[in-house]
């Protein structure tokens, strides 16, 4: 299993090109199932998750090529409707194939994803929304099974804002009969990007970027030709690395407003931030100031940046309070950061972080994607050597991470 060795203490300086967003790519890849034909997606990040999703599509019968960052997906020959447990358990987002399969074939057999490293992560809203649209679904042997389904537009109001369930119901509604009205939807840029990709190929979704979507079903869609939006979480993670190392990093190819909440917090922590049209320059302070953060759905501070922000606050000149209101158990990085000398007290879903002047390198273990990212940026700032075990989590979500860090001056090495 690969490990990452980082020798900390260098300021990161230079330019870094931000990759396409994993969380935007995955639902758009699922959307290719809706229209038989040859789809072209550009700026797709080369990650374990996009490769796993490609595998799911291939198992269903799609033909795929993935060269550089361009993915061509031919969904004309799709014949199977089953997404097996072996793949879904490694990546929850595989559940995105459910609605497209029901829409195209009236049938699906998709494994329930099960829990994950930080709690139960239910899919009840995905199921309730599809049922409201006329899908009779059964749970059989760990699988969600639909047969003879004819989707109809309906009004559905989410009692919790969910990125995944919003995307799922959009995928269900675009080809359904009649009009669907979705209330209290997620407005993450990834959701809007999915909507725009669908509208570009003939869907009729109104209200993108607002909490209410009106979707008029159409009888068919053209193949998708889309460019994946930049990854706001990757961008914000590099910005956090600048904050922690007192570095100066220019993020290239970004949409600054997509990670405004993170930039704003980093400014509060003492960073100087310059926003351009497609660039953001972040200069870290000599030592971060403490900040208080509560994660919220977009446009609030993302839960996917909570772990990295705790790492920044671990070095702050005072006490920070960081609350995760989205995932109450998402704190597996805390004991690992403690091994590096961080002083963090967990009270339920609230981390009280008492800043220390320095962290020290240690052997630590990654337990999920963003937790791993927080260990990496902590290691970059720590004294001495850190070895991070189980970095396959990082490979799920950060394209060419060590290369990008090395180009910014970090001493980082992958140990196989
Ligand atoms: C997506 C992102 C993930 C991010 C999360 C929150 C992808 C592939 N993943 O995950 O990186 O951390 O959004 O921004 O885009 N919930 C329910 N019932 C459901 C679905 C969700 O109660 O059926 C709850 C969840 O437990 C959580 C909240 O809704 O408390 C938000 O989860 P959701 O937005 O659905 O997360 P994902 O789409 O799984």
């Amino acid at each position: 299993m690969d490990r990452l060795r980082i020798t900390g203490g260098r300021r990161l300086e230079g330019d870094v090109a931000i990759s396409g967003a994993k969380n935007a790519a995955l639902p758009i890849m699922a959307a290719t199932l809706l229209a038989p034909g040859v789809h072209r997606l550009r700026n797709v990040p080369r990650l374990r998750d996009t490769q796993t999703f490609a595998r799911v599509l291939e198992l269903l019968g799609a033909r795929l090529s993935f060269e550089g960052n361009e993915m061509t997906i031919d969904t004309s020959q799709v014949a199977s409707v089953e997404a097996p447990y072996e793949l879904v358990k490694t990546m929850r987002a595989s559940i995105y194939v459910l609605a497209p399969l029901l829409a195209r074939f009236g049938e699906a057999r998709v494994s329930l994803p099960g829990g994950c490293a930080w709690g139960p992560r239910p899919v009840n809203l995905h199921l309730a929304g599809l049922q409201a649209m006329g899908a009779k679904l059964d749970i059989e042997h760990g699988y969600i099974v639909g047969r003879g389904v004819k989707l109809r537009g309906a009004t559905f109001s989410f009692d919790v804002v969910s990125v995944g369930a919003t995307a799922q119901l959009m995928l269900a509604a675009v080809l359904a009969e009649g009009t669907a009205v979705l209330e209290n939807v997620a407005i993450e840029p990834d959701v809007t990007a999915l909507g725009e990709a669908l509208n570009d190929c003939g869907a009729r979704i109104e209200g993108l970027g607002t909490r209410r979507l009106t979707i008029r079903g159409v009888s068919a869609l053209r193949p998708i030709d889309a460019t994946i939006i930049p990854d706001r979480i990757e961008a914000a993670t590099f910005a956090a690395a600048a904050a922690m190392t007192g570095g100066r990093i220019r993020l290239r190819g970004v949409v600054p407003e997509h990670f405004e909440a993170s930039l704003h917090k980093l400014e509060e922590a003492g960073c100087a931030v310059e926003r351009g049209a497609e660039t953001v320059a972040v200069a870290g302070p000599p030592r971060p100031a403490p900040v208080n953060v509560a994660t919220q759905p977009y446009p609030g501070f993302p839960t996917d940046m909570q772990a990295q922000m705790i790492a920044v606050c671990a070095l702050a000149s005072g006490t920070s309070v960081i609350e995760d209101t989205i995932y109450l158990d998402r704190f597996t990085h805390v004991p690992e950061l403690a091994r590096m000398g961080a002083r963090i007290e967990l009270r339920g879903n609230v981390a009280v972080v008492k800043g220390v002047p320095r962290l020290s390198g240690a052997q630590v273990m990654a337990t999920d994607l963003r937790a791993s990212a927080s260990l990496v940026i902590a290691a970059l700032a720590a004294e001495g050597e850190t070895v991070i075990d189980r970095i396959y989590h990082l490979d799920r979500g950060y394209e060419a991470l060590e290369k990008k860090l090395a180009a910014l001056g970090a001493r980082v090495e992958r140990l196989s």
Side-chain angles (χ1 to χ4, degrees):
M1 223 179 281
D2 285 6
R3 292 173 301 158
L4 214 55
R5 178 159 64 201
I6 296 177
T7 310
R10 286 208 180 165
R11 283 166 205 267
L12 297 196
E13 294 200 355
D15 278 29
V16 60
I18 296 306
S19 298
K22 162 177 92 72
N23 289 354
L26 299 176
I28 295 177
M29 287 174 73
T32 66
L33 291 168
L34 290 168
V38 180
H39 305 255
R40 182 156 297 135
L41 311 184
R42 302 160 215 276
N43 201 33
V44 179
R46 291 195 79 88
L47 300 169
R48 221 164 54 109
D49 275 10
T50 49
Q51 272 149 359
T52 305
F53 208 95
R55 185 82 198 101
V56 174
L57 294 177
E58 279 174 340
L59 273 183
L60 296 171
R63 293 211 198 111
L64 235 125
S65 86
F66 193 6
E67 277 163 28
N69 291 105
E70 188 163 320
M71 197 179 262
T72 307
I73 308 174
D74 182 351
T75 55
S76 340
Q77 309 295 324
V78 168
S80 162
V81 295
E82 172 160 332
Y85 178 64
E86 289 66 37
L87 287 174
V88 181
K89 76 170 182 207
T90 64
M91 191 184 63
R92 285 174 55 79
S94 316
I95 199 179
Y96 281 146
V97 301
L98 179 59
L101 290 173
L102 293 173
R104 180 158 158 196
F105 300 105
E107 271 182 56
R109 204 176 124 78
V110 176
S111 172
L112 274 166
C116 78
W118 72 80
R121 293 186 83 184
V123 292
N124 60 310
L125 292 169
H126 297 240
L127 303 184
L130 290 170
Q131 279 159 340
M133 292 179 65
K136 194 181 159 311
L137 300 172
D138 296 304
I139 305 296
E140 294 174 5
H141 310 291
Y143 280 71
I144 307 161
V145 180
R147 298 182 189 92
V149 169
K150 176 112 194 59
L151 293 169
R152 280 176 275 103
T155 296
F156 187 80
S157 181
F158 294 89
D159 51 13
V160 177
V161 174
S162 161
V163 172
T166 300
Q168 186 81 270
L169 289 205
M170 288 165 75
L171 291 165
V174 284
L175 289 180
E177 201 181 291
T179 299
V181 178
L182 308 180
E183 316 253 17
N184 198 28
V185 297
I187 56 171
E188 269 67 0
D190 315 296
V191 171
T192 304
L194 169 67
E196 283 168 357
L198 289 167
N199 279 350
D200 283 348
C201 59
R204 293 178 64 196
I205 307 173
E206 279 167 32
L208 287 172
T210 74
R211 294 275 173 216
R212 184 173 203 259
L213 296 177
T214 304
I215 306 177
R216 282 171 235 283
V218 296
S219 56
L221 296 172
R222 296 181 295 275
I224 298 172
D225 187 335
T227 300
I228 304 302
I229 58 169
D231 194 321
R232 66 201 162 97
I233 305 297
E234 186 199 13
T237 301
F238 277 102
M244 269 200 98
T245 62
R248 257 172 194 284
I249 300 183
R250 202 164 70 110
L251 311 164
R252 281 196 288 113
V254 293
V255 181
E257 67 179 55
H258 285 177
F259 56 115
E260 185 48 43
S262 303
L263 291 175
H264 189 71
K265 275 297 157 196
L266 291 172
E267 281 179 317
E268 250 183 80
C271 291
V273 176
E274 261 175 59
R275 298 156 179 81
E278 292 181 2
T279 58
V280 171
V282 182
R287 187 175 179 191
V291 293
N292 295 337
V293 178
T295 65
Q296 297 292 344
Y298 188 83
F301 188 94
T303 171
D304 284 349
M305 277 301 294
Q306 175 258 103
Q308 300 89 314
M309 203 63 203
I310 287 187
V312 173
C313 293
L315 279 183
S317 55
T319 300
S320 307
V321 178
I322 298 184
E323 178 182 4
D324 201 323
T325 69
I326 312 278
Y327 292 114
L328 309 185
D329 298 336
R330 193 181 195 177
F331 291 101
T332 53
H333 41 288
V334 165
E336 300 300 310
L337 290 170
R339 304 197 66 252
M340 301 177 70
R343 287 180 61 203
I344 307 167
E345 192 188 319
L346 257 186
R347 297 182 192 152
N349 64 329
V350 178
V352 179
V353 187
K354 298 200 168 96
V356 293
R358 61 192 67 81
L359 296 172
S360 61
Q363 286 199 352
V364 291
M365 200 169 72
T367 41
D368 74 59
L369 173 55
R370 306 302 169 186
S372 317
S374 79
L375 298 177
V376 169
I377 61 172
L380 292 167
E383 285 174 354
E385 194 178 283
T386 297
V387 175
I388 305 172
D389 207 347
R390 300 203 185 166
I391 54 157
Y392 55 84
H393 292 292
L394 280 172
D395 298 333
R396 287 189 40 216
Y398 289 90
E399 188 176 51
L401 182 67
E402 336 67 283
K403 252 201 200 144
K404 290 186 185 186
L405 288 174
L408 294 169
R411 273 173 294 186
V412 49
E413 191 189 348
R414 184 180 285 252
L415 311 170
S416 289

